Amino acid sequence: MSASAVFVLDLKGKVLICRNYKGDVDMSEIDHFFTLLMQQEEDGLISPVMSHGNVHFLWIKHNNLYLVATTNKNSNASLVYAFLYKLVEVFTEYFKELEEESIQDNFVVVYELLDELMDFGFPQTTDSKILQEYITQQGQKLEVAKTKVPTTVTNAVSWRSEGIRYKKNEVFIDVIESINVLVNANGSVMSSDIVGCIRLKTMLSGMPELRLGLNDRVLFALTGRDKGKTVVMEDVKFHQCVRLSRFESDRTISFIPPDGESELMSYRINTHVKPLIWIESVIEKFSHSRVEIMVKAKGQFKKQSVANNVEIRVPVPSDADSPKFKTSTGHAKYVPEKNLVVWSIKSFPGGKEFLMRAHFGLPSVENDELEGKPPITVKFEIPYFPVSGIQVRYMKIIEKSGYQALPWVRYITQSGDYQLRTNS
Amino acid sequence: MPYFGSEETVKELKRALSNPNVQADRLRYKSYITKVIRYMTQGLDVSALFMDMVKASATVDIVQKKLVYLYMCTYASDKPDLALLAINTLRKDCADPNPMVRGLALRNMCNFRMPGMTEYIEQPIVAGLRDKASYVRRVAVLGCAKMHSLQPRTEIDGSLVNELYALLRDPDPVVVVNCLRALEDILKDEGGVVINKPIAHHLLNRLKDLDCWAQSEVLTFLLRYRPRNDDELFDILSLLDPFLQSSQSHVAISTLRLFLHLAAAHPAVQADALLCSSAPLLATCGAASRELRFAGLCHIQQVMRSQPALFNTHYKRFFCGYSEPSYIKFRKMEILVALVNDENVALVLEEMKSYCTDVSAELAQAAIAAIGRIGRTYSEKCLDILTGLLALKQDHITSAVIQTFRDLVWFCPQCTAAVCLTVESCVDYPQDSEGKQALLWLLGEHADQISSAPYLLEVYIDGLKTELSAALKMEILTAALKMFLRRPAETQDMLGRLLHYCIEEESDMCVRDRALLYYRLLQRGIEETRKVVTGPKSDPSLSVLTSAQEEPVSQWVSIFNTLGPLSAADLQLHNTALSASEHTDDTADTELLTEHVPVSMRDVSEAGVSLCAGAAVSPEAFEQMWQQLEVLQRQTVCFSGCAADTLQSALQPVHIQTLAFSPARALPWRAYIYSRGSGTLVLAELLQDDPEMLTVTIKQQPEHQQTVTAFISVLQSVLQTLNTGQMSV
């Protein structure tokens, strides 16, 4: 892998903080990064890999920051990107929000983290749970006592410390499914799929062994059981704690969980799902005078369920003015900086249909710039409803002290990348 | 960034740090140290405080220690003499009872990048390698590599290397991987760390304990290992199997590369592995991070070079999202073009059509070019879309459509009539140079089918004085001449004006020369001119060449999972651009042909088994072998004969040596040639007893059919080019 140095830059290309790991690439090379980036931006051909001489820059952008790794070797690109995203993840867990201000306010911790995350260009300890055990944010306080190496740094089970105690042993299981939909301008569904993940909040003592049972079709086929609804999962990915070999051989999901919150697994289901909230839109643009928008939203899910916090974002021309709205429910708001009308509906019962009309004025002098045709996007969440029909059948918890522990399960379906193209 | 008042700031800090009152108050002392680091981070030169900072390192507060160490590492190379003062403190910390402090001190001591450090750090490193805390061992192992990089030219310490090899068995997984990394760096000149059977098996067994970074790297190191036999190979492959589906895309891709590499002799296993990893690769293309998505797409393109059909059913995954950056959209479009088949063509085209009106002109043009490439197979549907786009009257779209039309006409002649009709009825013509060139080519080449062609051309000839681009002027000349040959009555006058202007007033040498060339050609007579200027109107065979062909896995596996696939960006786009600019010229520039020849020959020799010249064979040895060996193959080739030295110089670049030949014009004429490849020697006799035919007799030792096939194909292509060369002469 070997990254020579890692830089954090602000939007103007100023280095906020950097760490020279190998010393084989001149640190001033970073000055070329921003020039190259600007040049590519002008040509409209940005690329996440850029080269200057024999130095390669691999970069990502997060909020108002650029994170850049330099290398002069033919490194494994996806590994470097994964590491940069790991940096983002760790920093975010420390500072809640990773942005210019949080880097400046916490530069001591950032230095400490950069030091532990990587040495001589090679990733070292990257698990933020473990890092949090010996790099704390209360850096301003004097701590003399807490400097021992946590056992986890060298533990066999690297993601869980020994000696964790809880009065009440519980584990909370959240099954969250996001639905991705792309609908064409003429109303045909171009693609749709479901991306799900199972999150755990573990509050268990000791070193418990957990086993999770799902209504997985492959498992049911293996065990010869064929009653009830099953799901076919694809691209199943697990937290490192899950024993992959056991899943390979008999589809058992068994693991020692990390303490606290973690994402146990994610999967994708490729079945064709009906878009849960269907949008029909008519956007009429009368040049030099006005734009009239009519949006009809229909809940295509069970009557018993309710979609919460629905937000329908309809694009409008950037030079539109004097908005007027009429809605059959909820309220609409014009967000001029994003060229959007946001129609929010607090609760949207299944089977119902709502309507919004909007009217905008257009200036008589037309905008020369060509504008894209952004799609309508929809955000929503439907609690207590797994759209794919996935079910947690059991969660067995075994610990050598033999305590009784309670599993709690919660399902939620939400919008992922939910886009409906318009023809205006 | 030295800014006003920086000296004052440093002075003030110095005063504060040396103030005994501040030193006594730990919190205040630390806050001043933090301030120093803050200024350092902002780019202020605070190296003047070095002495005060060294003093501050003697503390029990570990965060303060870290900050001071960071400071010292930053300025050590500027102040080597002062840095030496800090070494004592650091060495004392290396013996601290707290492993955290020991590790920290050792790591930072190794980070002092200044000459002469080796003697101070060697002993602590060796002690660190045997430390009971794995945290310290991790640091010490990488310390070895750092020490080596400080003095890269010194002799490698054999005992240290042995110790590192022994630490490959360390219980801590990170120590194991760090050992590999360190050894790789230290032994770089000797080819890196040696992976023998015990080490390889040990690493394979430990693989599941490692974190994802380490897994990726170990898998890359394992590329060096060659299993002894098939049993061992399959044991290894079954151990690796679960990692093909790893949740980390970089681990999955590394595993795939190792799989393909190990199973090089088992194409069926390779195909299975590709099938198996298609799911994780696809999943990467839907990754939340766009850079990973991009890397995934690039790797999918590589895989598709061998298995074009692998992702056919998943074509919808490559539809572009509105907010995706254009580098992802470009890749997705390329993949979509490759995935088109009878079932999905309608949907893909509908999707592509929506990209053609993208705000980004580059993207829109690429989408139009992509439709053009699909049009080589599904011409009717694509022509409808392209014609529809012309109605939008957007300059960049019109230009791209006309360019695409030109390519389409060239690759599939059956589109010609439709394209000509569209161009005829087109009201809006391209404004940029490339678009104009494409239009001119169409007008010149198909003047007989576009009735308004002369009037369109006249506009360009009239505007010649204000035209800047030389390439466009050349294109106008060629188009005018071609049109003259087809429709003389309407064109004669303007051609005369054009030639007159270009010869008398044009300042660009190339344009003037071209005009003069045409003028002299016309003086030789119309028929003569026609023979030179008009070439084939299309070349459908080219489209077969440019469309995807299945390549063996070995073609791309060596760059798989490196920066290679990512930086090969826009490869295909460039190719089409290249082919477009080439074929517009080649009707006029027949002299270019000779330049093309070596390229094509090199391609042939690289494609199959490569030939090499190797050591020369003496005539006696040749004769002896020729008599002993059986005839392996005999073949006749069309060949009208050529000078012996021409043959010799043509065969040399493809690594075929000429031993002897009979004098020119002798009949029968003979030549003896030989070459080596895949460890065998190929001997051949070329016998010409008929003026048009050449008999090739091949013998080989030891026998190896593939080399013979490669040899014959190379030889044939050389003889063919010699033939055509002679005809054109």
Side-chain angles (χ1 to χ4, degrees):
Chain A
M1 130 126 213
S2 84
S4 291
V6 170
F7 297 85
V8 180
L9 280 72
D10 70 5
L11 284 184
K12 294 190 200 75
K14 197 182 98 185
V15 179
L16 292 177
I17 209 162
C18 62
R19 190 88 172 89
N20 186 358
Y21 287 111
K22 275 200 112 149
D24 58 352
V25 172
D26 194 346
M27 292 300 271
S28 60
E29 285 283 348
I30 192 68
D31 298 340
H32 301 297
F33 166 76
F34 204 65
T35 346
L36 279 171
L37 185 71
M38 287 294 102
Q39 200 185 328
Q40 289 197 339
E41 211 155 77
E42 221 158 80
D43 301 342
L45 296 166
I46 290 191
S47 153
V49 202
M50 298 193 292
S51 305
H52 180 267
N54 58 353
V55 182
H56 307 290
F57 302 102
L58 290 98
W59 63 280
I60 63 171
K61 193 179 169 195
H62 183 85
N63 289 341
N64 52 2
L65 296 172
Y66 293 107
L67 284 92
V68 189
T70 55
T71 178
N72 55 5
K73 302 222 166 63
N74 193 0
S75 305
N76 174 346
S78 33
L79 191 58
V80 179
Y81 292 132
F83 180 76
L84 291 176
Y85 275 100
K86 190 76 198 179
L87 283 185
V88 172
E89 186 192 319
V90 170
F91 289 157
T92 311
E93 265 179 55
Y94 266 86
F95 316 133
K96 292 282 176 296
E97 197 66 49
L98 173 61
E99 52 190 14
E100 195 180 330
E101 291 71 32
S102 57
I103 292 273
Q104 271 166 350
D105 294 349
N106 299 289
F107 72 97
V108 174
V109 183
V110 175
Y111 273 131
E112 283 185 75
L113 287 172
L114 285 175
D115 210 30
E116 295 294 336
L117 282 161
M118 193 176 242
D119 192 10
F120 205 49
F122 303 113
Q124 300 290 307
T125 311
T126 54
D127 194 315
S128 63
K129 291 241 160 48
I130 295 163
L131 286 167
Q132 268 162 356
E133 286 184 37
Y134 65 107
I135 297 178
T136 48
Q137 240 170 323
Q138 283 76 44
Q140 303 312 317
K141 271 189 276 165
L142 263 189
E143 302 167 80
V144 186
K146 195 178 161 94
T147 49
K148 68 174 197 335
V149 185
T151 46
T152 31
V153 178
T154 56
N155 223 357
V157 181
S158 68
W159 55 89
R160 189 180 175 92
S161 300
E162 272 167 44
I164 296 170
R165 295 232 127 273
Y166 284 100
K167 248 188 220 156
K168 195 171 174 194
N169 290 299
E170 287 176 312
V171 51
F172 297 89
I173 307 163
D174 276 345
V175 180
I176 302 164
E177 295 196 324
S178 308
I179 156 163
N180 298 328
V181 173
L182 178 63
V183 180
N184 209 351
N186 53 23
S188 57
V189 179
M190 298 298 268
S191 66
S192 71
D193 63 1
I194 303 164
V195 178
C197 76
I198 298 185
R199 293 215 185 106
L200 294 184
K201 186 174 179 190
T202 318
M203 298 162 82
L204 298 170
S205 314
M207 279 286 177
E209 272 280 342
L210 271 59
R211 230 168 71 205
L212 177 69
L214 300 171
N215 55 341
D216 172 12
R217 184 168 303 167
V218 184
L219 174 70
F220 276 38
L222 273 179
T223 50
R225 191 174 9 204
D226 54 9
K227 53 179 180 208
K229 201 178 172 228
T230 56
V231 291
V232 186
M233 298 188 287
E234 284 178 44
D235 303 345
V236 187
K237 292 179 179 181
F238 290 109
H239 186 275
Q240 67 174 129
C241 65
V242 176
R243 296 182 185 90
L244 283 179
S245 49
R246 286 212 54 189
F247 184 74
E248 281 289 309
S249 61
D250 57 8
R251 300 288 276 199
T252 312
I253 304 169
S254 84
F255 55 98
I256 298 173
D259 191 42
E261 287 179 36
S262 59
E263 185 175 311
L264 180 69
M265 64 183 281
S266 68
Y267 55 88
R268 212 170 51 79
I269 292 176
N270 213 0
T271 51
H272 190 87
V273 267
K274 199 157 49 164
L276 294 179
I277 291 188
W278 182 252
I279 304 283
E280 277 170 39
S281 67
V282 181
I283 303 180
E284 277 181 298
K285 192 172 166 184
F286 302 92
S287 277
H288 315 300
S289 69
R290 63 189 197 280
V291 180
E292 278 175 10
I293 299 169
M294 196 274 293
V295 176
K296 194 159 79 178
K298 192 177 174 199
Q300 305 196 101
F301 47 92
K302 275 189 241 142
K303 283 208 171 63
Q304 304 92 296
S305 294
V306 173
N308 292 336
N309 304 323
V310 179
E311 265 187 24
I312 300 162
R313 294 155 177 262
V314 186
V316 292
S318 60
D319 49 2
D321 55 48
S322 48
K324 274 184 224 125
F325 306 109
K326 209 191 260 175
T327 56
S328 61
T329 189
H331 72 279
K333 205 175 84 187
Y334 177 42
V335 190
E337 63 271 21
K338 287 182 179 156
N339 302 322
L340 284 176
V341 175
V342 180
W343 177 21
S344 3
I345 302 164
K346 269 269 163 293
S347 85
F348 193 136
K352 282 273 164 44
E353 205 176 286
F354 298 115
L355 202 71
M356 179 199 64
R357 282 178 194 281
H359 177 283
F360 285 89
L362 282 179
S364 50
V365 184
E366 203 168 343
N367 192 354
D368 284 340
E369 259 174 69
L370 188 63
E371 281 180 29
K373 289 192 283 184
I376 294 179
T377 54
V378 185
K379 279 189 174 172
F380 59 85
E381 49 186 50
I382 307 174
Y384 319 112
F385 169 63
V387 63
S388 68
I390 196 168
Q391 262 182 343
V392 175
R393 289 174 47 243
Y394 59 82
M395 171 70 107
K396 287 188 180 143
I397 303 159
I398 303 155
E399 216 276 332
K400 55 179 185 291
S401 66
Y403 58 69
Q404 284 297 310
L406 284 171
W408 304 89
V409 189
R410 198 163 56 167
Y411 300 95
I412 191 164
T413 292
Q414 60 186 28
S415 56
D417 189 14
Y418 201 100
Q419 301 190 348
L420 300 101
R421 293 186 182 151
T422 59
N423 49 9
S424 71
Chain B
M1 189 206 326
Y3 55 85
F4 190 67
S6 62
E7 265 173 57
E8 276 309 302
T9 323
V10 173
K11 258 186 209 155
E12 202 172 295
L13 281 171
K14 197 175 177 73
R15 217 171 303 137
L17 284 173
S18 51
N19 183 344
N21 286 334
V22 174
Q23 284 175 5
D25 184 348
R26 279 175 171 176
L27 268 179
R28 257 179 88 192
Y29 195 38
K30 192 173 159 188
S31 78
Y32 276 110
I33 289 164
T34 317
K35 231 180 219 168
V36 174
I37 302 296
R38 182 185 288 275
Y39 284 127
M40 186 182 91
T41 310
Q42 287 168 357
L44 193 70
D45 182 11
V46 285
S47 58
L49 303 167
F50 206 96
M51 273 315 294
D52 305 279
M53 291 297 276
V54 170
K55 271 184 212 147
S57 67
T59 170
V60 281
D61 181 48
I62 199 148
V63 177
Q64 183 175 333
K65 249 190 211 310
K66 282 182 187 169
L67 291 178
V68 176
Y69 288 162
L70 179 76
Y71 175 90
M72 293 199 280
C73 289
T74 314
Y75 291 113
S77 42
D78 298 341
K79 307 220 162 195
D81 41 337
L82 287 176
L84 285 182
L85 293 174
I87 294 231
N88 259 334
T89 329
L90 283 163
R91 288 188 64 150
K92 207 167 79 204
D93 280 349
C94 282
D96 198 274
N98 183 345
M100 211 75 200
V101 177
R102 289 204 299 273
L104 189 67
L106 187 58
R107 181 165 62 220
N108 284 287
M109 202 149 74
C110 299
N111 280 347
F112 281 25
R113 294 189 193 96
M114 53 187 218
M117 271 309 285
T118 322
E119 52 176 314
Y120 301 103
I121 55 176
E122 192 166 3
Q123 190 266 326
I125 284 178
V126 173
L129 287 177
R130 292 166 199 158
D131 202 289
K132 61 182 186 302
S134 61
Y135 185 76
V136 184
R137 290 201 301 276
R138 292 175 181 182
V139 171
V141 169
L142 284 182
C144 298
K146 291 177 191 171
M147 187 163 71
H148 180 75
S149 74
L150 280 176
Q151 292 177 307
R153 257 160 235 96
T154 47
E155 197 134 308
I156 295 162
D157 183 353
S159 63
L160 200 64
V161 169
N162 284 341
E163 196 142 357
L164 286 175
Y165 270 116
L167 275 174
L168 284 175
R169 311 264 163 190
D170 197 274
D172 181 63
V174 181
V175 173
V176 176
V177 190
N178 280 356
C179 276
L180 285 173
R181 292 157 170 165
L183 282 168
E184 178 73 14
D185 260 29
I186 295 171
L187 302 174
K188 199 162 48 199
D189 296 335
E190 299 169 20
V193 55
V194 179
I195 307 283
N196 57 21
K197 190 174 173 182
I199 293 179
H201 284 216
H202 169 69
L203 290 176
L204 280 164
N205 287 326
R206 291 295 299 274
L207 205 53
K208 59 181 186 303
D209 306 332
L210 307 178
D211 61 17
C212 62
W213 321 107
Q215 283 176 350
S216 242
E217 280 177 70
V218 167
L219 289 165
T220 313
F221 281 121
L222 283 171
L223 286 173
R224 253 177 232 165
Y225 180 64
R226 286 245 144 256
R228 303 279 159 78
N229 51 39
D230 275 2
D231 285 345
E232 191 191 349
L233 172 72
F234 287 113
D235 281 349
I236 292 177
L237 292 185
S238 53
L239 258 174
L240 288 175
D241 210 39
F243 295 97
L244 273 179
Q245 308 265 13
S246 167
S247 65
Q248 296 288 336
S249 64
H250 53 92
V251 177
I253 296 177
S254 300
T255 317
L256 178 60
R257 184 180 177 191
L258 181 59
F259 238 87
L260 296 176
H261 180 79
L262 286 174
H266 304 270
V269 177
Q270 284 186 328
D272 274 355
L274 286 174
L275 187 68
C276 201
S277 50
S278 66
L281 273 173
L282 274 172
T284 321
C285 296
S289 101
R290 48 201 208 174
E291 289 78 12
L292 286 174
R293 226 183 296 164
F294 175 66
L297 288 170
C298 295
H299 283 101
I300 281 193
Q301 277 190 308
Q302 298 293 325
V303 171
M304 279 170 57
R305 286 170 68 177
S306 295
Q307 298 228 342
L310 191 59
F311 300 99
N312 263 356
T313 48
H314 302 284
Y315 68 96
K316 283 187 175 175
R317 303 285 289 273
F318 303 104
F319 285 176
C320 303
Y322 176 73
S323 52
E324 277 175 326
S326 45
Y327 56 83
I328 288 186
K329 289 183 180 169
F330 281 126
R331 289 288 163 135
K332 282 192 168 176
M333 285 198 293
E334 280 177 18
I335 294 175
L336 276 175
V337 169
L339 289 181
V340 165
N341 58 24
D342 290 353
E343 281 156 40
N344 60 26
V345 63
L347 262 175
V348 171
L349 279 177
E350 196 179 333
E351 181 71 15
M352 281 284 183
K353 196 173 138 190
S354 65
Y355 306 153
C356 293
T357 48
D358 199 279
V359 195
S360 151
E362 287 85 6
L363 200 77
Q365 292 186 323
I368 292 167
I371 292 184
R373 265 190 283 149
I374 298 174
R376 291 177 198 174
T377 331
Y378 301 96
S379 44
E380 207 170 303
K381 293 189 182 99
C382 296
L383 277 173
D384 284 350
I385 295 180
L386 292 172
T387 311
L389 286 171
L390 281 177
L392 294 174
K393 295 187 186 172
Q394 303 253 345
D395 284 347
H396 67 276
I397 293 180
T398 312
S399 164
V401 171
I402 297 285
Q403 289 176 57
T404 310
F405 276 160
R406 175 194 57 194
D407 293 354
L408 260 180
V409 168
W410 181 256
F411 289 121
C412 18
Q414 69 273 21
C415 304
T416 313
V419 166
C420 289
L421 211 68
T422 316
V423 172
E424 173 94 59
S425 58
C426 182
V427 277
D428 196 48
Y429 291 103
Q431 300 300 317
D432 62 328
S433 176
E434 267 110 53
K436 283 182 189 167
Q437 285 180 47
L439 178 67
L440 285 165
W441 187 86
L442 281 170
L443 292 179
E445 201 62 55
H446 298 285
D448 39 355
Q449 295 192 50
I450 307 174
S451 60
S452 61
Y455 308 103
L456 289 171
L457 183 66
E458 193 157 21
V459 176
Y460 288 99
I461 293 178
D462 290 344
L464 197 69
K465 281 192 182 116
T466 51
E467 188 53 61
L468 296 172
S469 151
L472 185 67
K473 288 178 189 168
M474 304 262 241
E475 197 61 59
I476 293 176
L477 272 169
T478 314
L481 187 64
K482 282 184 195 162
M483 200 181 288
F484 172 67
L485 294 172
R486 296 201 173 94
R487 302 170 69 166
E490 292 153 287
T491 327
Q492 189 173 13
D493 176 51
M494 61 172 117
L495 179 66
R497 269 191 290 140
L498 176 67
L499 286 175
H500 182 266
Y501 172 80
C502 287
I503 293 168
E504 295 292 322
E505 289 176 52
E506 177 58 46
S507 56
D508 189 289
M509 273 305 154
C510 296
V511 178
R512 232 181 60 180
D513 283 353
R514 177 70 66 88
L516 276 170
L517 173 75
Y518 287 162
Y519 182 66
R520 290 192 196 116
L521 262 176
L522 287 167
Q523 280 182 324
R524 297 282 304 267
I526 295 295
E527 276 318 302
E528 203 73 10
T529 315
R530 194 185 301 278
K531 232 186 265 171
V532 175
V533 174
T534 50
K537 283 181 182 254
S538 66
D539 190 357
S541 66
L542 259 180
S543 76
V544 182
L545 280 180
T546 46
S547 68
Q549 275 175 334
E550 281 184 40
E551 292 176 57
V553 171
S554 57
Q555 286 276 314
W556 47 268
V557 75
S558 61
I559 60 157
F560 201 66
N561 204 24
T562 63
L563 287 179
L566 278 78
S567 50
D570 309 358
L571 196 72
Q572 244 175 334
L573 289 174
H574 279 298
N575 270 349
T576 52
L578 205 87
S579 68
S581 63
E582 248 174 20
H583 71 66
T584 50
D585 280 340
D586 62 9
T587 46
D589 299 353
T590 28
E591 70 268 19
L592 270 176
L593 253 176
T594 40
E595 271 177 51
H596 282 300
V597 174
V599 179
S600 66
M601 286 196 297
R602 209 173 307 134
D603 283 348
V604 173
S605 58
E606 270 168 17
V609 179
S610 63
L611 299 175
C612 59
V617 177
S618 70
E620 295 80 30
F622 191 100
E623 198 180 337
Q624 200 181 355
M625 272 190 279
W626 188 261
Q627 279 161 4
Q628 278 171 3
L629 293 172
E630 295 280 303
V631 172
L632 203 69
Q633 204 161 343
R634 189 165 274 150
Q635 204 163 354
T636 52
V637 189
C638 281
F639 186 61
S640 49
C642 73
D645 49 340
T646 320
L647 181 68
Q648 196 171 10
S649 58
L651 287 174
Q652 206 146 38
V654 292
H655 306 299
I656 298 179
Q657 301 273 41
T658 322
L659 184 91
F661 38 78
S662 34
R665 311 272 171 241
L667 216 71
W669 178 88
R670 274 176 219 271
Y672 290 95
I673 57 178
Y674 64 92
S675 180
R676 287 187 170 83
S678 308
T680 70
L681 180 67
V682 187
L683 311 176
E685 180 198 51
L686 311 178
L687 170 72
Q688 188 164 33
D689 36 17
D690 175 332
E692 289 301 316
M693 280 307 193
L694 187 73
T695 315
V696 184
T697 315
I698 291 177
K699 300 183 179 186
Q700 193 187 27
Q701 179 179 23
E703 279 183 30
H704 187 257
Q705 190 53 45
Q706 270 168 314
T707 327
V708 174
T709 328
F711 180 84
I712 290 176
S713 75
V714 169
L715 187 65
Q716 267 175 342
S717 68
V718 170
L719 294 177
Q720 235 154 35
T721 43
L722 285 174
N723 271 344
T724 54
Q726 278 206 322
M727 273 188 236
S728 65
V729 168

